[in-house]
Amino acid sequence: MEDDRGTSHVYGIERHTLCLAAVAGDSARNRFVLGTLGITEPCEIHLVDFDDDEGALRSLVYKHPRGVRALAAAPWDPAQLLVVGSGAGASGAAPAELVALPDVPAGTFPSPEAPEQPTTLVAGLGDAASEQPAPHAVVCHPAAHCREAATVSSTGVRVWDFAQAGPQASHAILAARHAMDEIEAAAWNPTAAAQLATADGMCVRTWDMRAEPRSQQTMAIEYAHSGKVRSLDYNPNLPYILATGGDDGSVRVWDARSPAAALLDIANHTHWVYSVAFNPNHDQLLLTAGADGLVNLESVVSVSSAQVVAGMAAASIGERPQSPARGGSPQPAGDSGSDGGRSGAEDDGIGRATDGLVVQLDDHETSVYAARWSAADPWVFASLSFDGRMVINTVPQSEKFKILL
């Protein structure tokens, strides 16, 4: 089919980068933030604004005292970020920090010649003198009213509550206490402030932090992948559905209520999968990225809320359930393998999307560590590779029509 994915918009810097986030508190403009590692150059945080109508990229650059290993945008304030330092730069700093970007414009950005400003420290998270391993990831709960975030280290996950004047450590999930391997990633249940999922080794677990005196494990998939699980995300509309990406190059989708086998097994990557992200509005779309330099946009209709609604509508009028080939029940593992290129997902003959690869993007030359959806426009997404190349793309028009019509 004709490739209608539109133009790739590239923002490139001569810096090494690992982390990218959409500015969650801004629903009016497509804005993303990225942090540089500062290995041999000054450390920076870049705020990038994308105008879809003009196809224009504008940015502000902020000086930061040390390299940025991970970051997350605070949903409760579009000018605040949670930042995990890489260890380079200022000594005595907390392992993670809440920082503010001063003078963030609400509309048009200033000229490219605008002078760089430093980030402003709001609060430190954790003890700089701690002998525990430093965090390597940070995730915010997507609901702004929750005002919670979690820092992830190899030995545990610590939850921080920002509802008070200063951040307070409220819960901890310790690897040693639960006989876990090194913890790689975590994700919040989007509808429950006290529930999250973690990945350690090949295992995926879910937790209920309402249990006292310690968090309670509620589900475990012991062998979610044949290699380390590096990324996971909840379906925002069906929070019992989880997507995972692993060192085996596969992306799998699970039902946490019945996790004996994956609902979908997607094999469109050839190396480690660093990032998986459901579209926050249209959960039929799943974004994945990995060490093979590829960014894949997948259609996962069979495990989306659209499929649930369609099934309820069919049941109400007495129709027979659709067959898997027409977007009905989930495909068994292995049915969604690679087709080797930029082909679009199939439809069911009457213009509705079914499971499959929508488009495969090869705009990067090195490992892609993050792919994120815009908080303002559900059809816009960005990806970031280690060489400092951020690419913004849009969902192909043909796929949008399948979802909306």
Side-chain angles (χ1 to χ4, degrees), residues 1-6 282 284-285 297 299 301 342-348 350-354 356-360 379 394-405:
M1 64 177 280
E2 182 181 356
D3 186 355
D4 62 349
R5 68 186 179 99
H282 306 290
Q284 305 98 315
L285 299 174
L297 178 61
S299 174
V301 179
R342 293 173 171 264
S343 63
E346 298 295 328
D347 62 42
D348 62 358
I350 56 175
R352 294 181 301 208
T354 57
L357 180 66
V358 176
V359 66
Q360 187 170 83
W379 310 114
T394 57
V395 175
Q397 290 284 349
S398 59
E399 195 66 21
K400 290 169 61 175
F401 292 151
K402 292 176 188 178
I403 292 172
L404 297 175
L405 299 181

Side-chain angles (χ1 to χ4, degrees), residues 11 13 15 43-47 59-63 109 114-118:
Y11 178 80
I13 58 176
R15 301 284 191 274
C43 309
E44 299 172 342
I45 290 178
H46 292 237
L47 173 64
S59 67
L60 286 175
V61 180
Y62 296 88
K63 300 176 183 177
F109 271 32
E116 293 183 9
Q117 301 182 68

Side-chain angles (χ1 to χ4, degrees), residues 22-25 72-82 98 140:
V23 178
W76 57 85
D77 189 334
Q80 290 189 349
L81 305 174
L82 287 151
L98 177 66
C140 289

Side-chain angles (χ1 to χ4, degrees), residues 174-185:
L174 303 179
R177 179 181 295 167
H178 299 280
M180 301 165 68
D181 289 335
E182 293 187 355
I183 301 174
E184 183 71 22

Side-chain angles (χ1 to χ4, degrees), residues 55-332:
L57 288 171
R58 301 176 180 88
S59 67
L60 286 175
V61 180
Y62 296 88
K63 300 176 183 177
H64 194 66
R66 57 178 178 158
V68 181
R69 186 176 184 182
L71 57 74
W76 57 85
D77 189 334
Q80 290 189 349
L81 305 174
L82 287 151
V83 177
V84 172
S86 65
S91 61
E97 300 169 333
L98 177 66
V99 304
L101 305 180
D103 300 327
V104 173
T108 305
F109 271 32
S111 68
E113 291 76 25
E116 293 183 9
Q117 301 182 68
T119 58
T120 302
L121 176 65
V122 177
L125 281 67
D127 184 0
S130 173
E131 296 181 359
Q132 296 297 318
H136 57 257
V138 58
V139 287
C140 289
H141 195 283
H145 68 272
C146 289
R147 297 179 71 92
E148 289 190 313
T151 52
V152 183
S153 71
S154 60
T155 58
V157 177
R158 179 173 289 186
V159 176
W160 300 88
D161 187 346
F162 293 84
Q164 307 302 319
Q168 302 293 323
S170 58
H171 288 84
I173 299 170
L174 303 179
R177 179 181 295 167
H178 299 280
M180 301 165 68
D181 289 335
E182 293 187 355
I183 301 174
E184 183 71 22
W188 287 98
N189 183 315
T191 63
Q195 298 179 29
L196 54 74
T198 61
D200 66 285
M202 296 183 286
C203 184
V204 172
R205 309 171 197 262
T206 59
W207 304 88
D208 186 342
M209 293 176 291
R210 294 171 299 180
E212 295 294 346
R214 57 187 61 174
S215 300
Q216 178 180 344
Q217 180 177 298
T218 55
M219 186 276 297
I221 307 170
E222 295 292 345
Y223 298 100
H225 290 263
S226 58
K228 180 183 290 187
V229 180
R230 292 192 178 268
S231 54
L232 70 165
D233 193 32
Y234 276 96
N235 182 315
N237 299 323
L238 299 176
Y240 52 84
I241 298 294
L242 278 163
T244 60
D247 280 2
D248 54 7
S250 70
V251 173
R252 291 175 179 163
V253 182
W254 307 86
D255 186 334
R257 303 167 304 176
S258 180
L263 300 179
L264 289 176
D265 192 338
I266 304 169
N268 289 326
H269 284 284
T270 60
H271 213 286
W272 300 350
V273 179
Y274 284 121
S275 181
V276 294
F278 279 101
N279 187 293
N281 295 83
H282 306 290
D283 57 324
Q284 305 98 315
L285 299 174
L286 180 67
L287 196 58
T288 71
D292 53 8
L294 298 176
V295 178
N296 293 336
L297 178 61
E298 302 282 352
S299 174
V300 290
V301 179
S302 66
V303 292
S304 71
S305 56
Q307 185 62 30
V308 173
V309 171
M312 293 172 61
S316 68
I317 59 176
E319 288 186 356
R320 295 178 60 187
Q322 293 179 335
S323 67
R326 294 177 60 84
S329 58
Q331 300 175 21

